[in-house]
Amino acid sequence: MLLNIRHFCLVTKNLKNSLHFYRDFLKLKVVSTKLEEGFYIDTLLGEKNIKLNTVKLGITKDSKPLIELYQFEDDNSATKGDFHHISFTVENIKALRMFLLGKGIKALSEPQLDEEKKHLVMFCRDYDQNLLEFVENIIPDKD
């Protein structure tokens, strides 16, 4: 079912300070930056009018991200806490969704095709309300 851990996501109140720590002190490299807003991110996180800046950091600028930093521009329920989510790569997201539903765990939305049209993505919460992201590669990621 699970193939690997994709990344850990942390919410920051000050992206500049977080970048200073992870990039300058720990020497992680910025893999990508993006402002996320609109239907896709709203649907995935089950909130309205989300605007967030994301920075993905890895060992090299060409590596897969290990840490994703979120800085929300507005205060909404998706911003609570410092930890945001753990992301897993899965073989079959629709089968996983049905399995979880059978165990009484509901996804925040149906699996959504990402904006790059490379992945199916969904979020759910575990029994302690920790947010989990599941991603199925439609087009294989680079190694």
Side-chain angles (χ1 to χ4, degrees):
M1 210 177 270
L2 299 180
L3 298 176
N4 61 43
I5 294 176
R6 293 179 73 87
H7 61 262
F8 292 88
C9 181
L10 305 172
V11 175
T12 179
K13 292 174 178 53
N14 188 316
L15 194 55
K16 182 179 174 183
N17 285 347
S18 291
L19 276 172
H20 181 61
F21 178 82
Y22 288 101
R23 182 189 57 213
D24 301 338
F25 293 166
L26 298 183
K27 303 299 182 194
L28 292 175
K29 308 297 183 218
V30 174
V31 175
S32 67
T33 61
K34 184 176 183 181
L35 173 64
E36 296 194 48
E37 61 184 323
F39 177 80
Y40 174 70
I41 195 68
D42 287 356
T43 302
L44 278 180
L45 297 182
E47 298 284 337
K48 300 268 190 235
N49 303 313
I50 292 175
K51 285 188 179 183
L52 72 129
N53 293 294
T54 62
V55 177
K56 295 181 181 184
L57 300 154
I59 299 299
T60 69
K61 69 175 190 155
D62 297 319
S63 68
K64 289 188 180 184
L66 300 173
I67 295 176
E68 188 172 54
L69 300 174
Y70 276 8
Q71 182 178 10
F72 288 86
E73 291 188 5
D74 298 318
D75 183 33
N76 58 40
S77 62
T79 69
K80 304 301 185 239
D82 296 327
F83 166 80
H84 195 266
H85 69 266
I86 299 173
S87 179
F88 297 94
T89 303
V90 299
E91 287 183 87
N92 185 325
I93 200 165
K94 292 178 182 176
L96 175 64
R97 182 176 174 276
M98 295 307 294
F99 173 80
L100 292 173
L101 277 172
K103 301 295 182 187
I105 299 171
K106 295 179 184 174
L108 299 184
S109 70
E110 296 282 329
Q112 300 291 309
L113 185 62
D114 70 357
E115 294 169 340
E116 298 170 339
K117 301 191 182 348
K118 293 182 180 180
H119 310 95
L120 283 174
V121 183
M122 75 173 187
F123 282 86
C124 75
R125 293 193 182 276
D126 69 12
Y127 292 125
D128 293 313
Q129 298 304 302
N130 293 306
L131 197 57
L132 305 174
E133 178 185 39
F134 299 101
V135 180
E136 179 183 340
N137 296 330
I138 303 301
I139 297 174
D141 287 336
K142 295 183 218 170
D143 288 342

